[in-house]
Amino acid sequence: MKQNEQAFRNELNHAIDFDKVLSQFAAKTSFSLSRQRIEQALPSQDLFMIREQLDLVRDSIEFFREGSTLSLQGCSDIEESVRKSEKQMTLQPKELAEISLFLSTCHRAINALQDTDLDKLKEYSNSMERVHDLQMAIDSCIDLSGAIKEDASAELIHCRNQLMDIRKTLNERTRDFIKKHNASLMESLTTSIQGRVCVLVKAGDKNAFGGMIHGQSQSGLAFYVEPSSFVPLNNQIQMILSKIETEKARICQELSMFVKRNSQSLLSDLETMTLLDVAFAKAKWCLEKDGVVPQIQKRDHTLILENAGHPLIDPKKVVRNTYRLQDAQKALMITGPNMGGKTVTLKTIGLFVALAHAGFPVAAHRALIPYYDSMWFTIGDQQSIENDLSTFSSHIQSLSKICSQSNQNSFVLLDEIGNGTDPQEGSALAIAILDHLIQKGCTVLTSTHFNALKSYGKTNAAILVASMQFDEKTLKATYHYIPGVSGASYAFSIARQYHLDASILEKAQAIKEANKDQNSQELEKLERLQNEVEQEKEKFDQLIQKAHQLQREAVSQKQKWEKAKKRFDQEYESRLETLLQEKEEQMEKLYEEMRQAQQIKPHQRAKYLRDMDALRFNQEEGDEKESFSVGDYVQIENLSTHGEIIELRKKEAMVLANGMKLKVKTNGLKKIRRPKVQQIPQSHREHTDKTFSSVPLELNIIGCRVEEGLRALDHYLDQCVAHHVKQVRIIHGMGTGRLRNAVLADLKKHPAVKSTASGGPREGGLGATIVELK
């Protein structure tokens, strides 16, 4: 922006609480550099950079909405360490460990983003360098706590082994010394003074063992003595420790040079990770606040904020409103009572404009914002004791600056314009200033209580007059924004609520009426009518919203049941397919057993056939319910018989089975194939024709009397024997059972019959008998 940066920052923070909102974003960052980047953010004039940031935020939001996750914990500001390496300074092990952890986080980010279809995130991912060799080199020498590993180099391993051996020798020598000179010691323990092993010797014997005296106890009765036998070993330990420190310094120096060689890549990755962390913080805030990434447009001055709520207000209490300014509407004038939400509305719109130009999302469901190259804010008391300025003087000073420096791409926010002086002069001044700014082409947001200013706004097509709704019955603000309606101040009503003396209020009302001109009276009437209409409209809108909600719930329930039905159908089909597959496997097994049988007995053959028919029958049961019509041949499941449908009535059917008419429910029927039955000619029954012809494999004697049926059976069996038929089916039906029993008895006595078995489900069941002939 064109204003001085620090003064502009102070203006934003004072007017629209810009810093407090930025703190919400900063709290969602992963490391200090990105947090600092957000806290120092300001609206920009660079439209390309603004859109670049907003596009990155948009992709980040989509990344999280897809269910992807990426933690940038582990990032830290390594710039100072990298700059030190560039100056050939040796980095400390902890600094090197931070660089390794940073690179590990970079690798995690690259891996998470390299397969994404989101262009901006993929572009940033592709711009990063892994610097894998540097990370491996650091990890091989330094552990996670920032200490150099004992096996970081061959020299360190050698020194540590030497140190262990010497300390072992020293420990043995100290034990021998303590055991031998225990009477001269104050205690049977050793101690370490500046890394050298000593013993606490009684004062009288301090010079008895040679070596060095390192000090005395507080009582003066004992001295810390390093006996001469300890000195060579202590000296060797100190030399090895010095070698170890020298080797550690060499390792750190070598790794620091490695960092220097990759400094540009590290700094580039740091910048990319900072931008990603900032974008992710913005995306998390946007999702939490149910917000949106704004669109910045240069086409015209149309401004749209749908369902916008101030982010600093408790989400459970905030009232979301929709604000619109068409291209021809250069100014928005908000009216209404004090504490009605006028200032909050101005701050919300101003805040969202500033956030959008700083590359941040906003707490709205849609945001279309014109591009502005300068922003001006005057909100609150501008009184300055230091500069000897009153509130009005300071206000006028700000207005003078805005009027001279603003242009057609300026956004101007003026709270209570013209306030702080004589109402008539203040109104006139406010009208003149607004007219000047509108002529310049600025986008102006203002609030007022002045009737003259309201009248001016109502008659100017470039000004949208709006108000904040106020409930006259409860005398409480609803904080609902109402475009196109000017609002009354309700000063007397509010004063009455706070128990101001009634006589004072009556006198004030009388003075107001006496001084009120015709225009003011008409304006107040219009305001009351508008408020009444708006209240009715709001009630109607609530009813419409409720109806829409009920409709959405009904649609949601319908979709829910449709999904459930689809799921159940899929489960049913899956279970049916599994069942059919099992039955097919069982049938294949039966066929295989029959094929492999060398000499299959008749009763086993009959059993195999019945089992296969049962499997087929069970498969058919898995099908969907069928519709029936007259003439269908069906199986009566609960009677184990079959027949033809001769009559249908709703859910009942008349079935002709075994010569009998049976009335059954259709849900107990199953369509089957009609048996191919060849009737025995009547001449056979009457034995009028004794000649033998080709013999059918079935004999149907349903409907015959017992004697007639047995005669036909005997004649039929004679033909079968003569023609060497080995297996036939006798269809006798169930009926009363007399014919069936007689047939079975006759077959048992017949010399040509080898065995008998009841028919399977597809062979007539108990209504037929399978006969195996000799």
Side-chain angles (χ1 to χ4, degrees), residues 460-598:
N460 192 326
I463 299 176
L464 172 63
V465 178
S467 64
M468 303 307 297
Q469 191 181 56
F470 192 82
D471 192 332
E472 290 188 69
K473 295 179 181 179
T474 62
L475 296 178
K476 291 183 179 180
T478 66
Y479 304 107
H480 286 292
Y481 169 82
I482 308 173
V485 178
S486 60
S489 63
Y490 296 100
F492 293 165
S493 299
I494 295 172
R496 190 176 293 109
Q497 183 186 24
Y498 286 93
H499 310 294
L500 185 64
D501 190 277
S503 61
I504 298 175
L505 289 172
E506 290 176 3
K507 186 173 182 179
Q509 184 68 35
I511 294 172
K512 176 184 175 182
E513 294 296 331
N515 295 329
K516 188 162 52 177
D517 57 17
Q518 184 66 26
N519 288 337
S520 299
Q521 293 177 10
E522 294 297 329
L523 182 61
E524 285 193 3
K525 290 180 183 178
L526 179 61
E527 287 172 351
R528 284 196 297 272
L529 289 173
Q530 286 177 326
N531 282 332
E532 291 173 2
V533 170
E534 189 61 32
Q535 289 174 2
E536 293 298 322
K537 179 179 178 295
E538 186 175 353
K539 291 179 182 178
F540 179 74
D541 289 343
Q542 289 176 352
L543 291 174
I544 294 296
Q545 290 176 3
K546 187 174 182 180
H548 287 169
Q549 179 64 26
L550 290 173
Q551 184 181 15
R552 286 193 294 270
E553 289 176 358
V555 172
S556 177
Q557 287 294 325
K558 180 182 177 183
Q559 292 175 346
K560 176 182 175 182
W561 288 114
E562 287 178 349
K563 288 180 180 178
K565 179 180 180 300
K566 184 177 180 180
R567 187 175 68 253
F568 291 148
D569 289 344
Q570 290 174 346
E571 291 176 357
Y572 172 77
E573 290 177 3
S574 177
R575 288 199 298 268
L576 180 60
E577 185 177 349
T578 302
L579 180 62
L580 290 176
Q581 186 175 356
E582 291 176 356
K583 297 301 181 183
E584 288 176 359
E585 291 174 355
Q586 293 177 23
M587 289 183 67
E588 289 177 1
K589 184 178 179 181
L590 286 173
Y591 277 124
E592 184 64 21
E593 289 177 358
M594 288 181 65
R595 188 182 67 79
Q596 292 179 355
Q598 294 287 336

Side-chain angles (χ1 to χ4, degrees), residues 108-389:
R108 190 165 63 246
I110 293 171
N111 293 335
L113 301 177
Q114 63 182 357
D115 295 328
T116 183
D117 294 329
L118 302 168
D119 294 339
K120 284 297 174 185
L121 289 180
K122 194 165 188 177
E123 178 184 335
Y124 277 71
S125 171
N126 292 336
S127 70
M128 296 174 67
E129 295 187 41
R130 292 182 181 269
V131 200
H132 189 65
D133 292 344
L134 173 59
Q135 184 190 358
M136 294 291 291
I138 295 175
D139 290 346
S140 66
C141 298
I142 298 174
D143 60 24
L144 294 176
S145 66
I148 295 180
K149 295 179 180 180
E150 293 184 356
D151 59 349
S153 69
E155 180 64 19
L156 274 182
I157 295 172
H158 176 68
C159 290
R160 297 231 181 247
N161 290 336
Q162 280 187 319
L163 187 63
M164 289 174 61
D165 292 340
I166 295 172
R167 280 178 173 168
K168 182 179 179 181
T169 303
L170 181 59
N171 288 338
E172 293 173 353
R173 188 165 296 182
T174 56
R175 284 197 300 270
D176 293 341
F177 182 89
I178 291 170
K179 184 176 180 181
K180 184 176 181 181
H181 304 287
N182 190 44
S184 301
L185 302 178
M186 291 294 291
E187 57 184 23
S188 300
L189 297 173
T190 61
T191 187
S192 180
I193 305 294
Q194 296 179 346
R196 302 181 74 88
V197 177
C198 303
V199 290
L200 191 60
V201 179
K202 294 177 182 178
D205 297 324
K206 64 180 181 180
N207 296 315
F209 309 108
M212 295 181 288
I213 298 174
H214 291 279
Q216 63 180 351
S217 64
Q218 291 182 352
S219 64
L221 300 177
F223 285 80
Y224 293 100
V225 176
E226 180 184 354
S228 58
S229 60
F230 292 7
V231 172
L233 294 175
N234 275 330
N235 289 340
Q236 290 182 46
I237 289 174
Q238 294 303 314
M239 290 177 60
I240 294 173
L241 289 175
S242 178
K243 285 183 179 181
I244 289 174
E245 292 304 316
T246 301
E247 179 63 13
K248 286 183 177 179
R250 185 196 67 77
I251 292 172
C252 289
Q253 186 177 20
E254 186 176 299
L255 291 175
S256 299
M257 293 302 295
F258 205 161
V259 171
K260 177 186 177 182
R261 291 196 296 272
N262 292 277
S263 61
Q264 293 304 313
S265 297
L266 289 170
L267 293 175
S268 175
D269 284 356
L270 178 62
E271 177 64 16
T272 302
M273 291 296 283
T274 302
L275 293 174
L276 286 175
D277 193 32
V278 168
F280 286 166
K282 294 175 182 179
K284 291 172 185 175
W285 182 95
C286 186
L287 292 170
E288 180 184 289
K289 299 291 184 181
D290 191 21
V292 70
V293 178
Q295 291 178 290
I296 306 292
Q297 54 95 7
K298 293 185 70 175
R299 182 180 63 256
D300 55 30
H301 284 74
T302 301
L303 187 151
I304 300 174
L305 296 173
E306 291 184 358
N307 208 30
H310 200 289
L312 295 180
I313 300 176
D314 186 344
K316 296 179 180 178
K317 297 179 180 179
V318 68
V319 177
R320 287 181 173 251
N321 290 295
T322 295
Y323 311 104
R324 282 189 173 88
L325 270 180
Q326 303 300 327
D327 182 40
Q329 296 169 324
K330 304 299 182 183
L332 171 63
M333 182 185 295
I334 303 177
T335 62
N338 289 320
M339 299 183 298
K342 299 190 303 297
T343 301
V344 172
T345 296
L346 293 179
K347 284 190 172 187
T348 300
I349 300 174
L351 174 65
F352 285 12
V353 169
L355 286 174
H357 283 73
F360 287 79
V362 297
H365 288 176
R366 183 191 174 201
L368 179 65
I369 296 174
Y371 166 73
Y372 300 112
D373 60 16
S374 63
M375 298 179 188
W376 307 91
F377 301 88
T378 60
I379 292 183
D381 188 359
Q382 303 292 324
Q383 186 173 4
S384 172
I385 297 175
E386 181 182 353
N387 296 323
D388 193 24
L389 294 175

